[in-house]
């Protein structure tokens, strides 16, 4: 094999040979420019053809030249049957659908069309630096040795406690109204999602591995919060790296089922866990691709059966609607599709414009991949419901590294406001924005507030609920200081597991 490498690699010199031919033939600069232009156009056509087979076509302008050439294209090449060695590309199979010549054209498109740097985003309105309607509270006692590694913050409205999960201990802990901590149970991996029931039970999703992995070691456990001596009951294990579980009765048999977002890595799936009469669960794959990150169960078509809307965030990013066919299956329909570098993170359905239809609040900003640069398209979007499963972009606010956006009527004025965290914020900027509060002060106009919490932690998770019973929603922000997103010491609080932004409107 190694003796054949020079021949296999010969296609890697197409670009240089191309230039040499033009120099030898004495072509004019205009002819050369036209040839380059034609090469780029051919490369774009080929990229649209081949790249769109797996996900939405990524325009060259989505990333800078260096990121395309050094990170993304070498990663994508093997998916098209093209291998690389010592900086050159080759293919072992002459019948490969993408020839080396075609691959060189694709390289030319991204090399010559991508910008040197990405543009700065333009915000519709600069944020106001204040506390808005909030004031901060912190726990009194917590571990001051280990860095905070909070993966879950969730308020239980039944027992009035905050529950947290973390990476270092894999423990589920509760915090009473005085913010005193109690360890509830130790899990096999970090807790990332919870469902609380009025009977004192809690269904917890354990991710399996926080780092990208194709291991099937995620779990869904049921915990009796009233009996600390009772071991967690494993409802389902051997799941792909899972990030969320939602409940519903999807076959109308009177038994509680669950849908799990098995995000995975290179493999994963959206899974329906059908409960049987003997209290076991049968796994059904709804969509067998990685990236399921947030699901919503509801009757979307009004036929009396629960359907599922799900955001996928790995490669083929977008929102899919799965309508229940009443026979144990779901019909799939793509609602919105995003480029594979967007880093989709969260969705929520709510009526922003008061027309009685549920709009989509969407956030993108996951930047822990192979293109770790600040991206001007990261932020929060509102897609207005046009009816018949058609959604149109109505609002966008850029926010580097957005991690989660949640809409609530925080000031109780009859319209929806927005809270948004950004784990991958621009921490090198003096005006870093790791948390923004958007007050909707008139129809579809949002006044942003930049609360001074950048140095209080690195916000990986968030929950919103009324913590003190005054009917005004409060905000909990979970601190994941174990990993600094920019790889540097930024002076943020390393140990406080979470903070509360208490809503002062209820005073």
């Amino acid at each position: 094999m190694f003796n054949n490498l020079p021949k296999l690699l010969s296609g890697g010199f197409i670009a240089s040979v191309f230039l040499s031919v033009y120099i030898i033939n004495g072509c004019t600069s205009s002819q050369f420019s036209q040839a380059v232009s034609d090469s780029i156009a051919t490369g774009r056509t080929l990229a649209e053809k081949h790249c769109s087979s797996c996900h939405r076509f990524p325009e060259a302008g989505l990333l800078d030249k260096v990121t395309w050439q050094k990170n993304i294209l070498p990663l994508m090449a093997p998916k098209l049957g093209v291998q690389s060695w010592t900086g050159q590309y080759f293919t072992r199979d002459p019948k490969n659908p993408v020839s080396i010549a075609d691959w060189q054209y694709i390289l030319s498109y991204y090399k010559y069309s991508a910008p040197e740097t990405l543009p700065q985003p333009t915000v519709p309105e600069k944020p106001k630096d204040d506390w808005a309607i909030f004031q901060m509270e912190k726990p009194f006692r917590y571990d001051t040795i280990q860095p905070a590694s909070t993966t879950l913050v969730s308020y239980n409205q039944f027992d009035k406690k905050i529950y947290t999960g973390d990476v270092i201990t894999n423990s589920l802990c509760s915090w009473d109204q005085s913010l005193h901590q109690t360890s509830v149970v130790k899990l096999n991996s970090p807790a990332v999602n919870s469902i609380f029931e009025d009977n004192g039970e809690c269904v917890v999703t354990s991710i399996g591995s926080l780092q990208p992995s194709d291991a099937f070691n995620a779990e869904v456990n049921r915990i009796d919060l009233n009996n600390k001596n009772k071991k967690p009951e494993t409802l389902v294990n051997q799941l792909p790296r899972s990030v969320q579980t939602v409940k519903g009765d999807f076959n109308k048999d009177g038994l509680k089922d669950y849908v799990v977002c098995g995000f995975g890595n290179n493999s994963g799936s959206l899974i329906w866990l059908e409960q049987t009469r003997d209290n076991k669960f049968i796994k059904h794959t709804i969509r067998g691709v990685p990236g399921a990150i947030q699901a919503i169960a509801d009757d979307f078509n009004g036929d009396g059966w629960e359907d599922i809307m799900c955001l996928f965030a790995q490669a083929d990013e977008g929102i899919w609607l799965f309508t229940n066919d009443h026979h144990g299956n779901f019909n799939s329909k793509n609602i919105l599709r995003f480029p594979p570098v967007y880093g989709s993170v969260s969705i929520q359905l709510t009526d922003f414009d008061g027309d009685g239809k549920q709009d989509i609040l969407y956030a993108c900003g996951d930047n822990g991949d192979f293109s770790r640069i600040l991206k001007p398209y990261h932020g929060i979007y509102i897609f207005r419901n046009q009816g018949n499963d058609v959604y149109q972009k109505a609002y966008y606010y850029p926010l580097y590294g957005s991690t989660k956006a949640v809409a609530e009527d925080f000031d109780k004025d009859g319209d929806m406001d927005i809270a948004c965290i950004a784990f991958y914020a621009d921490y090198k900027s003096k005006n870093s924005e790791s948390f923004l509060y958007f007050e909707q002060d008139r129809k579809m106009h949002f006044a942003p507030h930049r609360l001074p919490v950048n140095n209080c932690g690195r916000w990986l998770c968030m929950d919103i609920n009324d913590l003190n019973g005054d009917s005004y929603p409060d905000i909990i922000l979970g601190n994941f200081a174990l990993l600094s997103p920019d790889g540097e010491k930024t002076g943020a609080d390393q140990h406080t597991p979470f903070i509360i932004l208490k809503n002062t409107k209820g005073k």
Side-chain angles (χ1 to χ4, degrees):
M1 172 183 173
F2 293 102
N3 292 333
N4 293 326
L5 276 177
K7 182 168 61 177
L8 292 169
L9 294 174
S10 60
F13 296 100
I14 286 178
S16 60
V17 171
F18 177 78
L19 294 175
S20 301
V21 169
Y22 273 82
I23 293 172
I24 292 171
N25 291 337
C27 293
T28 65
S29 60
S30 61
Q31 288 175 315
F32 176 74
S33 297
Q34 183 60 49
V36 172
S37 178
D38 292 344
S39 176
I40 293 171
T42 300
R44 179 188 172 90
T45 300
L46 289 168
E48 287 179 328
K49 174 185 176 181
H50 296 292
C51 299
S52 298
S53 64
C54 296
H55 48 66
R56 179 172 163 178
F57 167 63
E59 298 277 355
L62 290 171
L63 299 171
D64 62 85
K65 292 181 186 295
V66 172
T67 302
W68 277 120
Q69 294 180 78
K70 300 295 184 182
N71 297 353
I72 302 303
L73 292 170
L75 180 71
M76 292 298 103
K79 299 181 183 298
L80 296 174
V82 177
Q83 307 298 319
S84 63
W85 186 73
T86 65
Q88 301 295 325
Y89 292 97
F90 65 95
T91 177
R92 294 185 177 90
D93 184 0
K95 296 181 180 180
N96 194 61
V98 179
S99 67
I100 291 300
D102 285 353
W103 179 248
Q104 291 296 330
Y105 279 120
I106 293 173
L107 291 177
S108 295
Y109 165 65
Y110 287 104
K111 178 179 179 179
Y112 294 109
S113 299
E116 295 292 340
T117 58
L118 295 186
Q120 293 282 331
T122 301
V123 297
E125 184 175 342
K126 290 185 177 181
K128 184 177 181 181
D129 290 308
D130 61 10
W131 284 98
I133 58 173
F134 301 97
Q135 65 182 26
M136 183 171 63
E137 293 184 359
K138 295 182 178 182
F140 297 105
R141 295 181 181 178
Y142 45 84
D143 189 343
T144 58
I145 304 300
Q146 297 284 1
S149 62
T150 307
T151 55
L152 168 72
V153 287
S154 186
Y155 180 71
N156 185 348
Q157 61 181 334
F158 302 110
D159 66 8
K160 312 301 182 186
K161 295 179 180 179
I162 295 171
Y163 286 81
T164 61
D166 73 277
V167 169
I168 294 177
T169 69
N170 289 342
S171 295
L172 182 71
C173 296
S174 66
W175 304 75
D176 62 22
Q177 291 186 312
S178 297
L179 298 185
H180 292 125
Q181 180 186 23
T182 301
S183 178
V184 177
V185 67
K186 187 176 178 63
L187 301 166
N188 291 325
S189 65
V192 292
N193 177 251
S194 62
I195 302 172
F196 297 107
E197 303 286 0
D198 57 5
N199 63 358
E201 291 182 344
C202 176
V203 174
V204 175
T205 307
S206 296
I207 192 171
S209 170
L210 199 67
Q211 297 298 321
S213 171
D214 285 315
F216 282 68
N217 54 6
E219 299 177 339
V220 177
N221 291 289
R222 183 159 51 206
I223 299 167
D224 187 349
L225 300 177
N226 296 322
N227 186 353
K228 293 182 179 180
N229 296 321
K230 187 177 180 180
K231 293 183 178 180
E233 177 189 359
T234 300
L235 300 184
V236 180
N237 57 13
Q238 297 182 343
L239 293 168
R241 188 163 160 257
S242 300
V243 295
Q244 187 207 21
T245 301
V246 297
K247 64 180 180 179
D249 182 4
F250 299 101
N251 54 2
K252 298 187 74 170
D253 63 355
L255 300 175
K256 189 182 300 179
D257 307 319
Y258 297 98
V259 166
V260 179
C261 290
F263 188 98
N265 183 31
N266 294 307
S267 62
S269 55
L270 180 67
I271 304 163
W272 168 34
L273 302 179
E274 178 190 5
Q275 186 173 181
T276 63
R277 293 293 173 185
D278 57 355
N279 296 319
K280 299 185 183 301
F281 288 89
I282 302 172
K283 300 177 188 177
H284 302 276
T285 298
I286 299 175
R287 186 170 186 241
V289 300
I293 193 169
Q294 187 170 358
I296 300 169
D298 202 352
D299 179 10
F300 288 101
N301 57 4
D303 65 355
W305 292 70
E306 285 190 276
D307 311 303
I308 302 158
M309 183 178 286
C310 186
L311 173 66
F312 286 80
Q314 185 87 328
D316 194 8
E317 299 194 21
I319 300 171
W320 272 259
L321 178 62
F322 302 94
T323 52
N324 199 321
D325 73 353
H326 312 176
H327 300 289
N329 296 298
F330 295 86
N331 298 315
S332 173
K333 181 180 181 180
N334 178 238
I335 301 299
L336 292 167
R337 208 175 187 198
F338 311 108
V341 295
Y342 261 42
S344 301
V345 285
S346 74
I347 56 170
Q348 182 184 346
L349 296 176
T350 191
D351 183 7
F352 279 101
D353 53 11
D355 65 354
K357 296 193 291 287
Q358 297 287 293
D359 308 306
I360 295 177
L361 174 63
Y362 163 78
C364 62
D366 182 5
N367 222 16
D369 55 17
F370 297 93
S371 58
R372 297 184 184 182
I373 59 173
L374 297 176
K375 297 165 183 170
Y377 40 83
H378 278 175
I380 62 171
Y381 297 73
I382 295 174
F383 294 95
R384 182 176 287 165
N385 192 335
Q386 306 294 305
N388 297 319
D389 301 329
V390 176
Y391 295 83
Q392 187 176 62
K393 187 174 80 170
Y395 179 80
Y396 168 62
Y397 193 97
L399 179 62
Y400 287 136
S402 174
T403 308
K404 185 176 184 179
V406 178
E408 281 284 355
D409 186 3
F410 287 99
D411 51 10
K412 295 294 182 180
D413 64 352
D415 54 30
M416 301 302 287
D417 313 301
I418 303 171
C420 187
I421 55 174
F423 183 71
Y424 295 98
D426 181 11
Y427 295 116
K428 295 180 181 179
S429 169
K430 65 178 181 179
N431 295 319
S432 175
E433 297 170 347
S434 63
F435 175 84
L436 289 180
Y437 163 64
F438 297 86
E439 175 193 359
Q440 187 173 184
D441 52 7
R442 60 182 185 272
K443 188 174 181 179
M444 293 302 291
H445 178 268
F446 298 88
H449 298 259
R450 181 168 48 208
L451 277 63
V453 297
N454 287 333
N455 290 328
C456 300
R458 291 291 172 258
W459 314 125
L460 182 64
C461 46
M462 172 173 64
D463 190 31
I464 294 175
N465 219 308
D466 177 13
L467 304 186
N468 56 2
D470 64 358
S471 79
Y472 284 84
D474 307 297
I475 303 172
I476 314 169
L477 304 182
N479 180 14
F480 192 89
L482 185 64
L483 170 65
S484 180
D486 55 6
E488 298 179 359
K489 297 287 186 179
T490 53
D493 187 319
Q494 296 288 301
H495 301 290
T496 305
F498 64 89
I499 64 170
I500 296 172
L501 298 177
K502 185 177 180 181
N503 195 326
T504 61
K505 293 286 285 188
K507 287 186 175 180

